[in-house]
Amino acid sequence: MLELVDIHAGYGRTEVIHGVSLTVPDDGVAAIMGHNGAGKTTLLRAVVGLLPVRSGQIRFDDEVISKLSPSRRVRRGIAYVPQGQQSFQQLTTAENLQVVADGRRNGKALIDDALDLFPALRELLTRKAGLLSGGQRQQLAIARALITEPRLLILDEPTEGIQPSVVAEIERTIIDLTQRTTGGKGGLSVLLVEQHIGFALQAAQGYYVLRSGRITSSGAGGSDAATEVRAAMAI
């Protein structure tokens, strides 16, 4: 699905990412963990094309996409949900979804599918996004991304500042999405950046710990990896 090979990236003369290599499996979840300032968001910005790669390769479905524009990467099937529960705050929940669905032949069906995943949003369709709670805005942000019919969903800190009940719902949704098959294309792959170790390891088949722009530990997901991850993050 997605493979990063010896990626170097940064801002101006400052290199932030130093030779990162990782793989996101088909129909699975890979988690990147690390403290604030580790370079997680910088790495995601490079993956989606918002930050140029200085060296190394980004491969998606065996195609090198390192030099493609962000819009062309979206058309290839990559969706990005940035940190901070972003939405059009002056638009209603329904309008936020419709903006993304406009121009798609099956736009109404895609909205319905997204609302099935996050049923709490059905009761909030007429409410402006700026009046939603943090958890509701995060569900809306993910729903909007899913309307683009991605094959790879990139989530940056989706549980930040969100109540535990909504965290559990987002986790269940992510796992469910990776197990679906649609139109013979398989399920959805997810690249998850997350500081909450329990959530990340529960959802992911594999993990990577990023520290000062370098991968310092990696392995299989699951609760058994929690001790190793905490040790790697404490170094």
Side-chain angles (χ1 to χ4, degrees), residues 131-196:
L131 300 178
L132 301 180
S133 70
Q136 291 163 346
R137 285 196 304 273
Q138 187 63 278
Q139 291 178 80
L140 176 58
I142 297 174
R144 292 175 67 238
L146 292 173
I147 290 173
T148 68
E149 299 182 276
R151 297 190 57 242
L152 173 67
L153 178 64
I154 300 177
L155 301 173
D156 191 358
E157 303 279 11
T159 68
E160 182 183 38
I162 294 177
Q163 59 269 37
S165 61
V166 178
V167 170
E169 184 174 351
I170 290 173
E171 178 183 331
R172 287 193 299 270
T173 300
I174 290 171
I175 294 172
D176 176 60
L177 286 167
T178 62
Q179 296 173 347
R180 290 186 174 196
T181 57
T182 54
K185 296 182 180 179
L188 180 73
S189 295
V190 178
L191 179 57
L192 171 67
V193 161
E194 185 55 63
Q195 288 197 54
H196 294 176

Side-chain angles (χ1 to χ4, degrees), residues 47-62:
V47 171
V48 299
L50 298 175
L51 185 68
V53 171
R54 296 181 175 182
S55 63
Q57 284 190 341
I58 302 172
R59 298 174 183 162
F60 185 62
D61 282 344
D62 295 323

Side-chain angles (χ1 to χ4, degrees), residues 10-27:
Y11 305 94
R13 296 183 178 180
T14 303
E15 184 165 289
V16 178
I17 302 300
H18 311 281
V20 167
S21 297
L22 60 82
T23 300
V24 181
D26 289 338
D27 307 342

Side-chain angles (χ1 to χ4, degrees), residues 21 27 36 44 131 165 198-199 205 211 223 234:
S21 297
D27 307 342
N36 289 333
L44 295 191
L131 300 178
S165 61
F199 167 75
Q205 284 74 47
R211 185 179 180 88
S223 57

